Amino acid sequence: MAVAAMFAVSAGAQNPAVAKQIKGMKNYQEALGLLKSNLQSLSNEEKAAAYNKLVDLALDKFNKESSIEQVNQAMQKNDPYDKEGMNDAAYNAVVNAMECYKYDQMPNAKGQVKPKFAKNVDRVLGARLAMVQAGQDAASEDKGADEVLKYWGTFVDSDSNPLFANIDRTQQAQFMGQVARFAAIYAYQNKEMERASRYCKVAMQDPEERNDALSLSVLILQSELKTREDSVNYVNNLLELHEQNPQNEVILENIYNTYSYLGEQDKAKNFLKGVLDKDPNNFVALADMGIACMRDDNVDDAITYLRRAIAVKDDNAVLHTYVGACCVAKAQVEVVPENAKKFYEEAVQHYDRAKALDPNKEVSNWGYSRYSAYSQLYGPEDPRTKAAEAEQ
């Protein structure tokens, strides 16, 4: 009975003096401070009215500054205005409108739900959209992840708030996915992984952003790895993502790498074989299978898979270097001189391609191997070999 009595007092708590004082205030920060310090003493009706007042004050500032901005843009003028204050006011209008809605949907002192501020959704739609540009401003001015997420994060989060449940989303559909992905990147950099994952899920609903958002989701999952059990769970999560997105190369690569890290080489290769059964020209699977065969000293299969990978995508200097090395290995054990020569010729072709793609050896150290192949093919004194020696 005591608990019930306390609940009744709390539910019906009222502080009309504070509520009236807030209603008459002109300064946003003062009104916000008074509301926060007296929130527990106000009824649901008074809280809703107080937050609505904050919406009024924020919109006064936002509308004043944005009107100057719009005139400047339309008339090519440069009248001074408070851009930072305008952006801040847009944020304040939206967050307070959501709080107002929350309390406006709660029972009043008589236990009845009688919303009074339903029109707030229409009033703050412009401010909500303005947070997209506000986030861009914060990002361009390097104000830090917290400031960027204040706008972009709130814009994305507000889309699932019941206040905005029935709005027309035609306009925001053009950029929601991109804003969500950018917000996810900033949350990831800020080590807010749950938040980053949440924004990735929104971004993945946009076909143009889906692949990049998936790749970021992989990094988010990866950031939580601490134990072998974590790695096992991680690869299982990746397998689920792969089933839904079989063309995503980052997911595929990380499944293979994680199996390899766990020492489960057979599972790694069986996974790649399964991918190739469904998609015989999958570049990543072909390349990884070729490299796996090299590690197993299976030169014949390595050459087969690497050749197939290069046939799909010919601009990878590392793979050309690997094929060259495999061809040299085959030539060195070939008992028929003419066959050995063919392998050396193929090796030289791949090393030359690696050189053309990566002349400064930034990703593949083809230099000595290329010179050695030239020497075996043409002899150490041949001018072509001498040139290769100079370029190693």
Side-chain angles (χ1 to χ4, degrees), residues 149 152-154 156-158 160 180-181 183-184 187 192-205 213 216-217 220:
L149 289 169
W152 280 346
T154 302
V156 177
D157 287 334
S158 65
S160 59
R181 181 169 65 84
E192 298 180 61
M193 298 309 169
E194 185 279 329
R195 195 176 187 184
S197 180
R198 190 168 73 244
Y199 296 152
C200 276
K201 290 178 181 177
V202 175
M204 281 189 281
Q205 297 174 20
L216 180 57
S217 294
I220 293 167

Side-chain angles (χ1 to χ4, degrees), residues 106-249:
M106 291 181 179
N108 58 23
K110 296 180 180 180
Q112 300 172 325
V113 177
K114 292 187 174 181
K116 296 180 180 178
F117 305 106
K119 292 184 178 180
N120 268 345
V121 63
D122 298 319
R123 292 206 299 157
V124 301
L125 278 179
R128 179 174 176 268
L129 289 175
M131 285 197 293
V132 175
Q133 182 59 51
Q136 180 62 53
D137 292 340
S140 300
E141 296 165 15
D142 293 325
K143 290 190 174 181
D146 288 336
E147 189 73 6
V148 174
L149 289 169
K150 172 182 174 179
Y151 299 113
W152 280 346
T154 302
F155 173 76
V156 177
D157 287 334
S158 65
D159 195 55
S160 59
N161 188 278
L163 173 65
F164 299 102
N166 298 315
I167 63 171
D168 182 354
R169 288 173 167 78
T170 303
Q171 184 177 358
Q172 75 173 44
Q174 304 171 41
F175 46 78
M176 172 59 84
Q178 187 177 60
V179 172
R181 181 169 65 84
F182 287 160
I185 292 171
Y186 275 92
Y188 174 76
Q189 292 173 345
N190 217 33
K191 301 188 185 306
E192 298 180 61
M193 298 309 169
E194 185 279 329
R195 195 176 187 184
S197 180
R198 190 168 73 244
Y199 296 152
C200 276
K201 290 178 181 177
V202 175
M204 281 189 281
Q205 297 174 20
D206 183 337
E208 294 186 5
E209 300 295 332
R210 183 176 181 80
N211 211 42
D212 288 337
L214 275 168
S215 298
L216 180 57
S217 294
V218 171
L219 291 177
I220 293 167
L221 288 171
Q222 201 174 66
S223 69
E224 303 297 321
L225 301 183
K226 295 178 182 176
T227 66
R228 181 181 175 84
E229 184 180 0
D230 291 338
S231 295
V232 172
N233 292 332
Y234 170 63
V235 78
N236 288 333
N237 288 329
L238 291 181
L239 287 168
E240 290 182 16
L241 288 175
H242 173 71
E243 285 295 319
Q244 302 164 11
N245 309 274
Q247 299 302 317
N248 187 281
E249 295 182 351

Side-chain angles (χ1 to χ4, degrees), residues 13-127:
Q14 295 187 29
N15 195 336
V18 171
K20 184 177 180 181
Q21 187 178 354
I22 292 174
K23 187 176 181 179
M25 298 183 79
K26 304 295 184 183
N27 183 280
Y28 175 85
Q29 291 299 333
E30 291 178 1
L32 177 63
L34 185 61
L35 173 57
K36 285 186 174 181
S37 62
N38 291 276
L39 189 64
Q40 299 306 315
S41 69
L42 300 176
S43 68
N44 291 332
E45 284 182 288
E46 290 168 339
K47 291 173 184 176
Y51 277 110
N52 186 68
K53 178 61 179 182
L54 292 180
V55 174
D56 292 341
L57 294 174
L59 284 178
D60 286 345
K61 174 66 173 177
F62 173 74
N63 291 332
K64 174 187 174 183
E65 304 302 335
S66 63
S67 64
I68 299 173
E69 181 185 60
Q70 290 169 13
V71 170
N72 283 347
Q73 293 171 352
M75 306 297 293
Q76 295 185 339
K77 298 175 67 177
N78 195 30
D79 291 344
Y81 71 102
D82 183 4
K83 184 177 182 179
E84 186 173 330
M86 178 187 73
N87 290 341
D88 201 43
Y91 167 82
N92 291 334
V94 172
V95 296
N96 286 301
M98 292 189 291
E99 284 297 294
C100 175
Y101 180 88
K102 179 177 74 175
Y103 291 111
D104 204 26
Q105 300 297 314
M106 291 181 179
N108 58 23
K110 296 180 180 180
Q112 300 172 325
V113 177
K114 292 187 174 181
K116 296 180 180 178
F117 305 106
K119 292 184 178 180
N120 268 345
V121 63
D122 298 319
R123 292 206 299 157
V124 301
L125 278 179

